[in-house]
Amino acid sequence: MEIVNSKGPILSNWEVYALLQDLCSQDGKGRRSLAKTQTHFAKIAFDTLKYLEKTPCRTQSPEVIHSFLESIKDFKLTKAEKLQLINLRPTTPVEMQLIIEDSEERLTEEQVDQLIALVDHHLPDSPEQMVNGKPNQ
């Protein structure tokens, strides 16, 4: 196996979830050919979808993610840290410390609490927190 592009784009869990849903929701002919010709891929896709449906990404959308990213732009986080906030949806200061490198030096306790509040506000954990496809205010 050869690595074609080692600096390819990094995908959020929602993007992977949407892509796999799209691949698996093709018409019957498309599913049969995927299952018959690429059985290993079909199994991996199914298992990944099954896992991702148990994560907060199932309630996210491009609008929700964009809104969240706009709300945290003043925190000077790296792309990787922003991605981890979207994917993991941290709810405690300890989880924030694990995601944000050198968080003790870069963020105050108030900023960490503010980030947790923004995650809770913009990135819903369950479909019940959604109203018309957007987080319940």
Side-chain angles (χ1 to χ4, degrees):
M1 177 179 272
E2 178 183 340
I3 297 175
V4 178
N5 182 1
S6 65
K7 299 203 186 253
I10 300 173
L11 301 175
S12 70
N13 286 355
W14 178 83
E15 292 167 312
V16 172
Y17 181 68
L19 175 68
L20 290 176
Q21 275 188 319
D22 191 40
L23 285 173
C24 294
S25 68
Q26 295 174 359
D27 59 84
K29 183 179 178 184
R31 275 183 284 167
R32 279 196 305 270
S33 65
L34 177 66
K36 285 182 180 178
T37 61
Q38 300 175 349
T39 55
H40 295 298
F41 176 71
K43 171 78 170 123
I44 291 169
F46 175 76
D47 288 346
T48 304
L49 266 175
K50 197 169 141 183
Y51 166 76
L52 288 174
E53 287 192 355
K54 298 175 187 171
T55 68
C57 78
R58 75 189 182 286
T59 59
Q60 294 175 353
S61 68
E63 296 80 21
V64 167
I65 293 171
H66 179 72
S67 170
F68 174 69
L69 290 174
E70 283 295 314
S71 72
I72 64 168
K73 67 182 176 185
D74 295 333
F75 286 95
K76 297 188 178 20
L77 301 172
T78 66
K79 288 180 183 179
E81 291 167 342
K82 292 174 187 176
L83 180 68
Q84 291 299 318
L85 289 175
I86 292 166
N87 285 345
L88 300 176
R89 200 184 173 282
T91 57
T92 65
V94 172
E95 291 172 320
M96 282 293 184
Q97 286 180 346
L98 295 172
I99 293 170
I100 300 172
E101 191 172 333
D102 300 325
S103 65
E104 297 86 14
E105 290 106 31
R106 293 172 52 200
L107 301 172
T108 64
E109 285 185 35
E110 291 80 25
Q111 288 175 315
V112 170
D113 291 338
Q114 189 178 15
L115 263 177
I116 291 170
L118 289 170
V119 166
D120 189 49
H121 176 74
H122 289 280
L123 300 175
D125 186 31
S126 64
E128 294 81 36
Q129 291 180 321
M130 299 290 284
V131 174
N132 295 328
K134 296 184 180 185
N136 190 3
Q137 306 290 325

